[in-house]
Amino acid sequence: LLALSGLNDPSLASFYRDLLNSPSASRDVLASALRGVATLGTEALSDTVVPFLSHREPRVREEAVRALGRTSKGFERAASLRPLLNPRTEDSEAVRQAAWVVLQGLFVQADVATLQTWANFFRDQQQPDRQLVVLQAMAAKAEAADNREELASRRHQMAEVQLERMNRPSEAADLYRLALDYSLESSGPSLIQTRAQLALRAYLRARRYPEAIALARLMIGRDSGFIQDIGTIVKSEAKTLSDSGQAEAARALINSILAENPPVVDPRTDSQLRDQLAELPTTGAAGSD
């Protein structure tokens, strides 16, 4: 049976179905039969596979997951994998990983509304890495359809996950900037301001100061009022660094802004930043880097 399971012979379909429907089949027989089903990839066997996703034996469940991935021609069976992703209900790491791998392969077949449901599910499950994968699948669909507005929106969502939930400010900065570039061409001032603020904050957190300053100058050139946003963001990020014991990083941030000529902050903010700088602990003092 193990040798047969590696053969892509359509005539074996009924043989595998009979084995899987046999009440006396052992764990090893069921696992081999499911492996054979996966090799065939016959959609008609999908219904036969689904019950084994809840089989008592992890090895059988794992093979059933892989067989489901090969026999599903659409996304209609993906919901059956959801219980297997949850460590509270699935005690086998191998099964959980197999379910995730198969699910990722099925995302390309799902519509946007279904993908959004999965993105929300992983968000609620506190799994930002998997939420990000779903958002990437949605972004790929938008790009393939040449829907630039939708693509910018997905990049914005991906950046939020990267920045706020995964602490990846550099990746977030690049995504926010791509979303901003679209907005600069096509969006209203409110969305432009929001994305510019978020991109600037991400650049600062990633300590990519030259790019942050270049963005600041670009936005001031478009709207002189944006200088107020820059000051607020710089003061906030410097305080966060200082409060977390990163005094030297806070000093480097403030100095990079104060060194700019022409200034990228207004005189009042300049004075506040200098006060903030003077209050930072010196190197070697308690609470500094």
Side-chain angles (χ1 to χ4, degrees):
L1 181 56
L2 184 60
L4 288 176
S5 66
L7 298 176
N8 189 2
D9 183 350
S11 68
L12 292 171
S14 59
F15 173 66
Y16 292 140
R17 184 182 287 110
D18 290 343
L19 285 176
L20 293 171
N21 288 330
S22 172
S24 60
S26 68
R27 179 199 67 178
D28 291 344
V29 167
L30 292 174
S32 294
L34 288 164
R35 193 177 301 116
V37 168
T39 299
L40 294 181
T42 303
E43 186 176 3
L45 292 172
S46 183
D47 288 337
T48 306
V49 169
V50 171
F52 292 94
L53 295 172
S54 57
H55 195 274
R56 65 183 181 277
E57 292 286 350
R59 182 182 171 195
V60 175
R61 294 199 300 277
E62 185 179 351
E63 295 295 348
V65 166
R66 295 195 175 100
L68 186 72
R70 292 295 307 278
T71 59
S72 294
K73 301 308 179 186
F75 201 72
E76 71 282 353
R77 301 292 187 189
S80 302
L81 297 172
R82 185 171 291 184
L84 303 179
L85 297 167
N86 191 338
R88 293 189 293 271
T89 59
E90 175 52 62
D91 59 4
S92 168
E93 177 63 21
V95 173
R96 288 199 298 272
Q97 287 302 316
W100 173 236
V101 169
V102 167
L103 185 62
Q104 289 180 82
L106 294 175
F107 282 148
V108 70
Q109 303 176 46
D111 58 37
V112 171
T114 301
L115 288 173
Q116 186 63 65
T117 298
W118 279 94
N120 294 342
F121 169 74
F122 288 125
R123 178 200 63 202
D124 296 342
Q125 292 293 311
Q126 303 297 314
Q127 294 180 300
D129 52 337
R130 293 184 173 179
Q131 180 189 2
L132 184 62
V133 169
V134 183
L135 292 173
Q136 288 169 337
M138 298 168 79
K141 285 183 177 291
E143 188 168 19
D146 197 27
N147 187 334
R148 296 181 65 234
E149 181 176 3
E150 179 75 7
L151 179 58
S153 176
R154 297 306 173 196
R155 284 169 169 165
H156 186 130
Q157 291 177 311
M158 290 158 61
E160 287 179 331
V161 175
Q162 295 269 23
L163 183 65
E164 304 299 338
R165 306 194 66 192
M166 302 181 75
N167 193 27
R168 296 177 180 171
S170 190
E171 292 88 338
D174 292 334
L175 287 165
Y176 276 133
R177 185 56 197 265
L178 287 171
L180 173 62
D181 286 345
Y182 170 77
S183 294
L184 290 171
E185 297 175 8
S186 310
S187 301
S190 177
L191 188 54
I192 290 172
Q193 183 180 30
T194 296
R195 287 178 172 165
Q197 290 171 346
L198 290 167
L200 179 62
R201 191 179 299 277
Y203 276 134
L204 293 177
R205 288 191 189 176
R207 305 184 190 182
R208 293 166 62 178
Y209 300 143
E211 289 154 297
I213 291 166
L215 174 59
R217 292 203 180 282
L218 170 67
M219 295 308 300
I220 292 171
R222 290 180 56 91
D223 176 7
S224 60
F226 193 77
I227 201 168
Q228 302 296 330
D229 297 328
I230 297 167
T232 299
I233 291 169
V234 170
K235 288 186 293 184
S236 173
E237 292 300 312
K239 183 177 187 303
T240 297
L241 287 169
S242 178
D243 290 349
S244 65
Q246 301 179 72
E248 288 306 311
R251 182 174 288 107
L253 166 57
I254 294 173
N255 281 331
S256 70
I257 297 300
L258 294 179
E260 286 301 301
N261 187 28
V264 291
V265 293
D266 60 25
R268 183 166 179 264
T269 300
D270 182 287
S271 176
Q272 292 170 338
L273 286 173
R274 293 183 188 280
D275 291 342
Q276 202 171 353
L277 185 64
E279 293 171 0
L280 291 173
T282 57
T283 302
S288 67
D289 289 2

